[in-house]
Amino acid sequence: MDIVFTRWKVAVFCDGVWWHGHPDYLPHGRRGSYWDAKIASNVARDRKVARQLRRTGWSVVRIWDIDVLSNPDRAARRVIAALRGRGRAPSVRRKL
């Protein structure tokens, strides 16, 4: 997890395009067999971890690193929405 809000049981992951296998960037079969297998393993682990967290009552937010870089306000709004969905969200000092 990259950011954890324990009070609200929200786990936020900021996934790298390469390491977590963004389907629009370097699709499977273009990285070579070693990297395809490594990244497929990472994706499988990501799904397993998210499933385990949800089973124990956590909300999981996954955001691609390129989405954070291109529009940080939108990424922050996704996290805030998840927090609000879990009850009262922390105050936000500036309007997003």
Side-chain angles (χ1 to χ4, degrees):
M1 285 174 267
D2 297 305
I3 304 171
V4 179
F5 297 92
T6 54
R7 176 189 267 173
W8 295 276
K9 291 183 88 170
V10 173
V12 180
F13 294 86
C14 181
D15 292 341
V17 166
W18 172 267
W19 295 107
H20 297 272
H22 193 297
D24 295 339
Y25 297 87
L26 295 170
H28 186 80
R30 293 181 129 181
R31 296 175 269 228
S33 60
Y34 171 81
W35 285 110
D36 282 343
K38 169 67 175 149
I39 292 166
S41 173
N42 290 349
V43 171
R45 186 189 63 236
D46 293 343
R47 288 181 181 147
K48 179 181 176 184
V49 167
R51 191 170 41 251
Q52 289 172 333
L53 285 166
R54 287 185 182 109
R55 284 182 185 154
T56 59
W58 285 75
S59 179
V60 176
V61 178
R62 286 197 175 276
I63 303 171
W64 292 107
D65 59 349
I66 57 171
D67 295 334
V68 173
L69 292 171
S70 67
N71 194 333
D73 287 347
R74 184 177 358 163
R77 282 193 300 270
R78 286 192 57 207
V79 174
I80 292 166
L83 292 167
R84 286 189 176 139
R86 307 294 273 171
R88 187 172 166 262
S91 63
V92 178
R93 292 203 172 139
R94 83 177 178 95
K95 187 177 179 178
L96 296 177

